[in-house]
Amino acid sequence: MTFDTGFFGIRPDEDEATHPGRYGEALARWMQQRLEARGVITEGVIAEDFGWLVIVTRKPFLLWLGCGNIDGSTTEWSLFPAVESSLAGRLFGRQRQREALDALWRQVEAIVPGIPDVANIRWE
């Protein structure tokens, strides 16, 4: 999903934790707060090369929401959920992982329209 908004600020040194020109910390922290307000327990926000992650759960599999800017923009954003399996996670089966991923995505679908000044929401 991508969308436009000037709502999320960027710290001057934010991309030192990621890669040059990669932002999304404010978006990730905002999404974390909104997810938790909806009853989704999260485990924090961390930097990655491509942007920022909201860690939803680490066990029995890693479930996270990627948050980042579109290349070259500070007002165009992207969100995407992902699941990663460990051996223990695979024992829980793909169905449970798919259900967790789908549930996270439904939360994102409900939250994004409420972002201040959001426009051009594109479900990709």
Side-chain angles (χ1 to χ4, degrees), residues 5 8 15 19 23 26-27 29-30 34 37 42 47 52 54 62-63 82 91 95 113 115:
T5 184
F8 300 109
D15 59 352
H19 274 256
Y23 309 108
L27 170 59
R29 294 195 185 285
W30 193 89
R34 295 311 176 277
T42 67
W52 294 79
V54 177
L62 182 60
L63 177 65
L91 294 176
Q95 181 63 31
I115 295 171

Side-chain angles (χ1 to χ4, degrees), residues 56-57 60-64 81-83 94-107:
V56 177
T57 187
F61 43 80
L62 182 60
L63 177 65
W64 50 268
V83 65
R94 300 264 182 233
Q95 181 63 31
R96 183 145 181 224
Q97 293 172 25
R98 171 52 56 192
E99 290 169 359
L101 193 64
D102 289 347
L104 177 57
W105 193 241
R106 284 190 301 276
Q107 294 286 351

Side-chain angles (χ1 to χ4, degrees), residues 20-112:
R22 302 304 306 167
Y23 309 108
E25 182 179 18
L27 170 59
R29 294 195 185 285
W30 193 89
M31 289 299 297
Q32 178 189 31
Q33 291 171 352
R34 295 311 176 277
L35 286 165
E36 289 181 349
R38 296 175 62 85
V40 177
I41 298 169
T42 67
E43 296 187 21
V45 170
I46 62 170
E48 276 294 336
D49 293 346
F50 58 83
W52 294 79
L53 304 182
V54 177
I55 304 297
V56 177
T57 187
R58 294 180 190 275
K59 293 184 181 179
F61 43 80
L62 182 60
L63 177 65
W64 50 268
L65 178 64
C67 305
N69 64 309
I70 302 298
D71 289 338
S73 178
T74 59
T75 60
E76 205 175 358
W77 303 96
S78 174
L79 293 172
F80 56 96
V83 65
E84 298 177 30
S85 293
S86 63
L87 177 59
R90 285 190 287 275
L91 294 176
F92 274 85
R94 300 264 182 233
Q95 181 63 31
R96 183 145 181 224
Q97 293 172 25
R98 171 52 56 192
E99 290 169 359
L101 193 64
D102 289 347
L104 177 57
W105 193 241
R106 284 190 301 276
Q107 294 286 351
V108 170
E109 289 175 325
I111 292 169
V112 168

